[in-house]
Amino acid sequence: MVGLAVVGFAVLRRRRRRSLIVGGPGGDISLPRRPLGAQDASRAVVGRLTVMAGPQAGTSVSLTSVPVHIGSYPACELRLQPVDGGVASYHARAWLKNERLMVHHLAVGKATFVEDTSREWAVLEANDTLRIGAHVLVFTLD
């Protein structure tokens, strides 16, 4: 009976940890919380991230408040070829918040550049550029 109580406590504790949101260096960059019933509104396309230069020029991904993964891994919504070794499997994630693009760099030993400055976290305005490896991307609002 005691063993069952311990297992139940461990499950509840794990669920509680998963519900915590890992944020950036301020409330403005934190990952979006999606309230129940707001799933359709969070998927409204309001922006686009387009590869302007590099091996996949012309490739783009629609942006919503739901995070988009950028990298070379097949499951990434924006898949980039790692031709120069500068693109990690899961390199960065991006999402929209208040018509601004939030970018969180994920790759260890690689770099994500925003307007030619290496960044871990960034807030982009419309027409700002993002460079990952040999790929130059531009953020636009629809």
Side-chain angles (χ1 to χ4, degrees), residues 53-127:
Q56 286 159 278
T59 304
S60 68
V61 65
S62 299
L63 298 168
T64 67
S65 62
V66 177
V68 168
H69 291 92
I70 304 166
S72 63
Y73 194 71
C76 290
E77 291 83 1
L78 181 55
R79 190 171 172 198
L80 303 175
Q81 294 176 3
V83 293
D84 62 351
V87 179
S89 296
Y90 284 102
H91 197 96
R93 74 177 151 217
W95 65 94
L96 288 176
K97 185 172 182 177
N98 300 327
E99 296 187 346
R100 291 180 163 172
L101 181 65
M102 307 295 156
V103 176
H104 178 206
H105 173 77
L106 302 172
V108 176
K110 310 276 186 209
T112 299
F113 294 90
V114 176
E115 298 292 327
D116 295 322
T117 303
S118 180
R119 303 290 302 268
E120 293 292 320
W121 286 90
V123 180
L124 279 68
E125 301 289 336
N127 300 315

Side-chain angles (χ1 to χ4, degrees), residues 14-52:
R14 176 179 273 171
R15 285 185 184 167
R16 183 169 179 232
R17 276 193 206 160
R18 286 182 184 167
S19 68
L20 297 176
I21 301 291
V22 177
D28 194 37
I29 304 179
S30 60
L31 282 171
R33 286 184 182 236
R34 195 175 336 144
L36 292 175
Q39 197 169 21
D40 294 334
S42 69
R43 295 196 185 274
V45 176
V46 291
R48 184 162 295 283
L49 199 54
T50 304
V51 181
M52 299 302 289

